[in-house]
Amino acid sequence: MTVEEFLEIHPDEDVDLQVPEGRVLLDHGQVQRLLDGKPVIVCKTGVQDAQYVQADDLLTQVVYLAHQIRGLWRVSAAHDPKLEKPIRYWPKLKRGISL
C-alpha cells in the first residue's frame, strides 16, 4: 500500500507521517493539499531543518507500519521496494478490549 492509497482510504483523519525525509502531521487540509499534488513541509528535529517535499515523492512511498492511537494515525513509509508486502495495520484498536 502506498501513502497515496492510505490517504485516500482515510481522507478525513489526522495522520502523523514518518518518512526518511522527516515527519509531517497531516490534518484534513494537508491531506487534500498532498493529494492535489502540492508539496508539504517535513522536518526531522524541528524548524531548523524543515524542507519542502514534493507530493509525488511522498505519495509513492510504501507504508510499512500504520496504527491508530486516539484518533491519530501513525504511519511509517519508505521508498524501499522490499516493503511491498502486507503491512501491520491496526485500525481503531482500543486498550483492554480484544477484537
Side-chain angles (χ1 to χ4, degrees):
M1 171 184 291
T2 64
V3 171
E4 181 174 19
E5 293 167 338
F6 183 88
L7 294 176
E8 287 173 349
I9 294 169
H10 304 283
D12 296 323
E13 299 182 66
D14 294 338
V15 177
D16 180 8
L17 179 61
Q18 178 74 39
V19 292
E21 296 84 359
R23 178 182 227 148
V24 61
L25 180 61
L26 302 169
D27 61 9
H28 174 71
Q30 287 279 61
V31 168
Q32 286 306 311
R33 178 180 171 80
L34 199 55
L35 291 174
D36 289 342
K38 297 177 182 165
V40 294
I41 297 174
V42 300
C43 59
K44 289 189 180 192
T45 59
V47 177
Q48 66 274 12
D49 65 1
Q51 64 181 347
Y52 276 101
V53 175
Q54 296 301 316
D56 289 340
D57 197 35
L58 286 179
L59 295 175
T60 57
Q61 293 191 36
V62 178
V63 173
Y64 62 88
L65 178 64
H67 64 280
Q68 189 177 37
I69 299 173
R70 296 185 184 138
L72 174 66
W73 280 101
R74 296 198 182 266
V75 177
S76 297
H79 290 291
D80 190 351
K82 292 184 279 184
L83 296 174
E84 294 195 25
K85 60 183 180 182
I87 63 168
R88 290 171 33 196
Y89 183 67
W90 302 300
K92 298 186 180 181
L93 287 182
K94 299 197 190 280
R95 245 183 150 175
I97 300 173
S98 59
L99 299 175

